[in-house]
């Protein structure tokens, strides 16, 4: 993990952008290609431009790919003392807001009990808590259904640009469920 982080930090900014894209822009992983026989179709399909968040997926191959790949890298990075350097490098990416949207959606989908949310939610909450210590107490446990609904409805608007990804806006979106006025985010 250390070597990966140093490569991301010392290499071209494109490396960070590409890493972020593996999290927010993963095309549909076609399940039949991961089964025992090859179906003849491509293993991935992505009709979404790289400036947009791809639709949520909860297939076993997608969940396994995320859990054993980029989410695991983020989780390991969060345990290193130099994690803040990677978070800072990621925050300079034009795709940062899409990464944060994806992480929030996995957190919300954990509350919704989807396969991807259940498999990735706890790890993603730890990563978000490391990236934004201001929300660590809120994310120390799964969020409520009400907070999850707010994230699913409003995270794209709340974080429509990298400059809007701030701890203050994140606290406003997550908040304590009874304190969050999700209609104010419209």
């Amino acid at each position: 993990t250390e070597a990966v982080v140093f490569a991301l930090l010392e290499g071209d900014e494109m490396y960070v952008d590409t890493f972020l894209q593996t999290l927010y822009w993963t095309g549909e992983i076609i399940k039949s290609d991961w089964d025992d026989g090859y179906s003849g179709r491509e293993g991935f399909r992505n009709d979404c431009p790289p400036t947009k968040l791809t639709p949520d997926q909860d297939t076993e191959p997608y969940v396994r790919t995320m859990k054993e790949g980029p989410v695991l890298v983020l989780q390991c990075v969060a345990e290193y003392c130099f994690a803040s350097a990677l978070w800072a490098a990621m925050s300079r990416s034009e795709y940062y807001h899409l990464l944060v949207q994806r992480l929030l959606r996995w957190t919300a989908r954990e509350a919704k009990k989807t396969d991807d949310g259940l498999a990735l939610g706890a790890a993603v909450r730890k990563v978000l808590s490391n990236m934004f210590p201001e929300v660590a107490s809120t994310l120390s446990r799964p969020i409520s259904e009400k907070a999850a609904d707010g994230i699913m409805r409003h995270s794209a608007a709340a974080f429509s640009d990298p400059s809007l990804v701030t701890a203050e806006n994140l606290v406003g979106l997550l908040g304590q469920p009874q304190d969050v006025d999700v209609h104010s985010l419209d």
Side-chain angles (χ1 to χ4, degrees):
T1 304
E2 224 173 90
V4 171
V5 173
F6 286 132
L8 289 170
L9 292 173
E10 295 173 354
D12 191 281
E13 291 175 359
M14 176 186 67
Y15 297 169
V16 171
D17 290 344
T18 302
F19 178 69
L20 297 186
Q21 287 178 334
T22 64
L23 288 146
Y24 80 83
W25 193 56
T26 301
E28 178 187 10
I29 297 176
I30 300 170
K31 185 173 174 55
S32 62
D33 289 345
W34 289 71
D35 295 336
D36 291 333
Y38 180 67
S39 68
R41 297 184 338 184
E42 294 295 321
F44 297 91
R45 179 177 52 229
N46 193 347
D47 300 325
C48 183
T51 55
K52 302 284 183 198
L53 192 68
T54 53
D56 297 317
Q57 299 183 59
D58 66 353
T59 64
E60 189 273 329
Y62 173 82
V63 171
R64 189 176 70 224
T65 298
M66 292 296 111
K67 186 175 182 175
E68 296 175 4
V71 171
L72 180 60
V73 170
L74 288 178
Q75 191 176 5
C76 291
V77 167
E79 296 175 12
Y80 285 108
C81 61
F82 52 80
S84 59
L86 183 59
W87 307 150
M90 290 176 8
S91 73
R92 291 188 295 273
S93 171
E94 65 182 295
Y95 306 115
Y96 183 56
H97 62 298
L98 297 167
L99 166 71
V100 172
Q101 287 176 41
R102 173 64 70 216
L103 297 178
L104 286 170
R105 290 185 71 81
W106 280 328
T107 300
R109 289 171 64 79
E110 177 186 29
K112 300 284 188 184
K113 306 218 182 309
T114 63
D115 290 341
D116 58 329
L118 291 172
L120 304 170
V124 167
R125 284 187 289 108
K126 288 177 185 175
V127 169
L128 282 167
S129 294
N130 191 276
M131 292 171 71
F132 301 96
E134 300 85 348
V135 298
S137 64
T138 302
L139 294 177
S140 64
R141 60 193 173 288
I143 62 172
S144 70
E145 276 276 334
K146 184 176 178 181
D149 289 340
I151 287 169
M152 298 301 283
R153 275 187 264 131
H154 302 290
S155 64
F159 300 114
S160 60
D161 183 84
S163 67
L164 297 174
V165 180
T166 64
E168 181 180 57
N169 287 345
L170 194 59
V171 168
L173 184 63
L174 286 171
Q176 294 302 319
Q178 67 274 13
D179 298 334
V180 175
D181 178 7
V182 294
H183 301 294
S184 68
L185 298 172
D186 287 333

